[in-house]
Amino acid sequence: MNPRATELVRLLTVNGETLAVAESLTGGLVAAEITSVPGASQVFRGSVTAYATELKHRLLGVDAGLLERSGAVDPQVAAQMAAGVREALGADWGIATTGVAGPDPQDGQPVGTVYVAVDGPLRQGSPSASGGKVEALRLNGGRAEIRMESVRSVLALLLAELAGEQTGNERAQDTERNGGF
């Protein structure tokens, strides 16, 4: 079990929030990591693996013009995928992965170009999420390594957003209530 996925499920459970996942290059690996955690069914709404570019538009609402101009490997595409899956599956949070795992370049982007995104609820007075956040990655290694690092990175991005919502004494109280984990 992935420790980041375990912590995500714990934080989402504590917050009473839900998660949906949109994946391209990771092909379902993000959803598999999350659902490997006992209790994930309380917070995980589902996932869309939109490997084909046209499915990003049709299922996730990514702007067709953006896909035509920029291709599927683009920070705005990642952001729209995260927002689209969040809306489509009725979740509080949406995360997304898109990129090039190889072996060949795609849409003019070199192998190892990856974008991960999170889209969450707007929080008044909070510096986190503010609707959405995208991180650009330039990864090395083979196809499997790029895909697994993409999984780790998108989970870390969401974890940072969730952890940023709980600070100081509030977090200590949650830890105490939940048996110290």
Side-chain angles (χ1 to χ4, degrees):
M1 232 179 323
N2 183 314
R4 285 186 180 130
T6 301
E7 181 65 0
L8 286 176
V9 169
R10 186 192 75 76
L11 287 173
L12 288 165
T13 301
V14 165
N15 294 341
E17 294 177 320
T18 57
L19 172 65
V21 176
E23 299 186 67
S24 186
L25 85 150
T26 50
L29 294 172
V30 176
E33 287 291 328
I34 294 165
T35 58
S36 72
V37 177
S41 61
Q42 294 177 47
V43 298
F44 186 67
R45 297 280 300 154
S47 65
V48 174
T49 301
Y51 215 62
T53 300
E54 74 270 8
L55 294 179
K56 290 171 181 62
H57 168 68
R58 206 168 35 158
L59 299 177
L60 299 171
V62 176
D63 181 77
L66 172 64
L67 289 167
E68 195 172 304
R69 282 188 311 279
S70 303
V73 184
D74 181 84
Q76 287 182 290
V77 170
Q80 289 184 21
M81 287 173 65
V85 78
R86 179 178 172 225
E87 183 179 328
L89 300 186
D92 297 300
W93 294 91
I95 57 177
T97 62
T98 189
V100 186
D104 300 316
Q106 177 186 335
D107 297 332
Q109 299 289 340
V111 172
T113 302
V114 175
Y115 297 98
V116 295
V118 61
D119 188 76
L122 294 171
R123 302 272 198 242
Q124 194 169 24
S126 172
S128 75
S130 301
K133 188 175 195 176
V134 178
E135 187 173 291
L137 308 172
R138 297 293 181 258
L139 304 176
N140 295 313
R143 183 175 173 79
E145 293 165 304
I146 290 169
R147 293 174 78 214
M148 287 313 298
E149 186 55 37
S150 299
V151 171
R152 284 189 286 274
S153 295
V154 77
L155 294 178
L157 184 62
L158 177 58
L159 188 57
E161 292 298 314
L162 292 173
E165 293 182 346
Q166 293 188 326
T167 57
N169 191 40
E170 182 181 46
R171 186 174 172 98
Q173 288 173 356
D174 285 337
T175 301
E176 185 177 313
R177 274 197 305 267
N178 286 289
F181 69 84

